[in-house]
Amino acid sequence: AEFGGNAAPDPLAVAPGASEPALVTHALTVQGPQQGMAMITGRKIVENRAWRIPRGWYALHVGAQPLLALGPEWVDRMKEAWPDVPPERSLPSSKIVGLIHVIEQRPAAECLVDLQAAGDAQAIWAVGPVCHALGGAMELRRPIPHSGSRGLWEISSSAREQLLRQIRDLPVKRYAPLPLRDSG
């Protein structure tokens, strides 16, 4: 399913996230090759959207736009979070670069307060409106060319076959859960 504009996807029209990597059928696109690489290497485990991404595994697609297309503040965040980030031109774009596991969603204000209270460096990424915590990722050795779209979108059958062949022998990188404030 394809979604235009800023409309949130209809959860009934899109299959939820996969329960395991081998069952992935949908992807989401992020802008900026550095952002995609930061997500699949654990340097950015908070993804921001205006809508809720259902929990589960998704292919991570990096679009053609550079990180700067999101605004200079995103470039500054990346430099602070990953000072020696590789140049964007050296990283894949317009490709599926890996899989990510969305494990929870929180309002941005709550997420930011929780991360700041814990002194967690991930606070730099908590801008929302909805923050999605990543619980893990798998980095493809050979990124798969694919066009992207807004919202959650279905991976082509040929790309899915390539994806399944690659992930058979790939490890899952597990990320620590985001901190919660002590409510006592």
Side-chain angles (χ1 to χ4, degrees), residues 45-46 50 52 56 89 94 120 124 132 167 173 181 183:
I45 65 169
V46 176
R52 289 183 177 271
R89 67 186 171 280
S94 298
D120 194 309
I124 197 168
H132 299 84
I167 66 171
K173 298 173 192 165
R181 282 173 287 163
S183 57

Side-chain angles (χ1 to χ4, degrees), residues 35 44 46-50 73-74 77 106-109 111-112 115 122-132:
Q35 182 174 205
K44 179 181 186 276
V46 176
E47 173 56 5
N48 301 284
R49 297 285 158 152
E73 67 277 11
W74 284 94
R77 282 186 187 102
R106 295 186 200 170
C111 186
L112 182 59
L115 289 166
Q122 290 293 320
I124 197 168
W125 302 116
V127 298
V130 180
C131 293
H132 299 84

Side-chain angles (χ1 to χ4, degrees), residues 23 26 31 37 60-61 64 72 105 110 112 147 154-155 182-183:
L23 299 177
H26 286 75
Q31 294 306 324
M37 188 59 63
L60 180 65
H61 177 266
Q105 311 93 6
E110 178 185 318
L112 182 59
S147 57
E154 197 167 343
I155 303 165
D182 181 11
S183 57

Side-chain angles (χ1 to χ4, degrees), residues 44-117:
K44 179 181 186 276
I45 65 169
V46 176
E47 173 56 5
N48 301 284
R49 297 285 158 152
W51 45 273
R52 289 183 177 271
I53 302 169
R55 289 181 178 93
W57 283 94
Y58 296 92
L60 180 65
H61 177 266
V62 174
Q65 295 292 317
L67 187 59
L68 184 58
L70 296 175
E73 67 277 11
W74 284 94
V75 174
D76 294 343
R77 282 186 187 102
M78 184 63 68
K79 286 179 186 170
E80 185 175 331
W82 190 2
D84 58 346
V85 63
E88 286 201 308
R89 67 186 171 280
S90 71
L91 299 171
S93 63
S94 298
K95 294 183 179 179
I96 295 172
V97 297
L99 300 178
I100 57 170
H101 188 204
V102 175
I103 59 170
E104 70 167 290
Q105 311 93 6
R106 295 186 200 170
E110 178 185 318
C111 186
L112 182 59
V113 168
D114 292 347
L115 289 166
Q116 287 176 333

